Amino acid sequence: MNPIVWFLTGNEGKLNEAESHLSKLGYIVKQLVVNDDQLFEPQASNLEVVAMSKITQALNHLPQEFTERDMILVEDAGLFISALDGFPGVYSSYVHSTIGNLGIIRLLNHLKTADPVSSANLRSARFMAVAALWRAGEVIIGEGVCPGHIADEPVDGNGFGFDPIFVPYDLDDELTPLSPGIYGSHSTHGKTFGAVDFSVKQKFSHRRRALENLFSQLPSAS
Ligand code: IMP
């Protein structure tokens, strides 16, 4: 029987992304469901502190089927906008549920300058993810980044959260992100994550990168 990774998340999008990546590595991913009112997200200054808090909380809510071989996965991500000194960052969840995607765009529109070059730079942003895995009492951390920019208007369809307003920079053959304006062999052609297929987002995804970084520290499951 392959090892089970219990992923503490209420977000179907995150669950699908983890499932898609980890099943290829031989892991079974199951959702660890805990009522929202039994969990809290600390207002910490970095994603790793939030992820470690989620591990501690998950350990108090293990499912009955949990065995000694099983692992717990948590993940915390955020959108970091350069011109806003990294805001909303660790406050992404709150900002998304209050001002939302349109609010972010309005905020950036206020920052527009007359110079088209610096005006484009004002929209640069990155998704960052920290994944933490509890395994036999030890915690392993993985990090992933996806650089890109904020679109002029939301383009919806697939995905969740800030996907409708985030356009990733192109990637080269090795899936390494390129600088803004450089064409790569992998591109959303200026489309937001919300406007491309799930499989396309996976190539760019900060979450996929964090999981890859984390699971590369473990022996293979199969
Ligand atoms: P958390 O990791 O669930 O705390 O995410 C913080 C906020 O960022 C939430 O509003 C998420 O919807 C959003 N977010 C996290 N990852 C992504 C992503 O891959 N795409 C779009 N929004 C995301």
Side-chain angles (χ1 to χ4, degrees), residues 1-65:
M1 167 92 168
N2 291 7
I4 298 177
V5 174
W6 292 92
F7 188 11
L8 177 71
T9 182
N11 181 321
E12 288 288 321
K14 287 186 173 193
L15 188 66
N16 292 341
E17 287 188 31
E19 223 277 321
S20 149
H21 182 65
L22 297 182
S23 60
K24 289 184 207 135
L25 302 179
Y27 294 93
I28 298 169
V29 178
K30 291 192 180 179
Q31 186 176 18
L32 176 54
V33 185
V34 180
N35 281 342
D36 274 355
D37 57 7
Q38 292 184 289
L39 289 176
F40 71 93
E41 184 152 335
Q43 286 307 322
S45 58
N46 72 67
L47 297 175
E48 188 172 330
V49 174
V50 179
M52 290 305 293
S53 159
K54 286 186 182 174
I55 288 274
T56 310
Q57 295 182 63
L59 285 168
N60 292 325
H61 297 280
L62 296 183
Q64 281 197 333
E65 318 95 276

Side-chain angles (χ1 to χ4, degrees), residues 81-84 108-125 149-150 152 169 180:
I81 299 175
S82 315
L84 302 177
L108 291 187
N109 287 346
H110 285 302
L111 297 177
K112 258 190 186 144
T113 71
D115 173 3
V117 176
S118 43
S119 189
N121 289 343
L122 285 179
R123 302 192 91 80
S124 100
H149 72 265
I150 303 297
D152 290 334
Y169 293 152

Side-chain angles (χ1 to χ4, degrees), residues 116-143:
V117 176
S118 43
S119 189
N121 289 343
L122 285 179
R123 302 192 91 80
S124 100
R126 51 183 48 212
F127 270 125
M128 293 210 271
V130 169
L133 187 83
W134 181 95
R135 180 175 171 257
E138 281 186 43
V139 178
I140 308 167
I141 301 277
E143 292 178 352

Side-chain angles (χ1 to χ4, degrees), residues 96 100-102 105 151-167 190-198 201:
H96 189 265
N101 288 331
L102 274 176
I105 286 180
D152 290 334
E153 54 187 34
V155 184
D156 223 339
N158 303 311
F160 62 93
F162 299 108
D163 281 347
I165 58 166
F166 185 83
V167 181
K191 291 184 180 158
T192 67
F193 273 159
V196 296
D197 285 345
F198 174 78
K201 181 182 173 188

Side-chain angles (χ1 to χ4, degrees), residues 78-98:
L79 177 68
F80 295 73
I81 299 175
S82 315
L84 302 177
D85 292 336
F87 183 83
V90 290
Y91 305 104
S92 291
S93 211
Y94 178 71
V95 168
H96 189 265
S97 63
T98 51

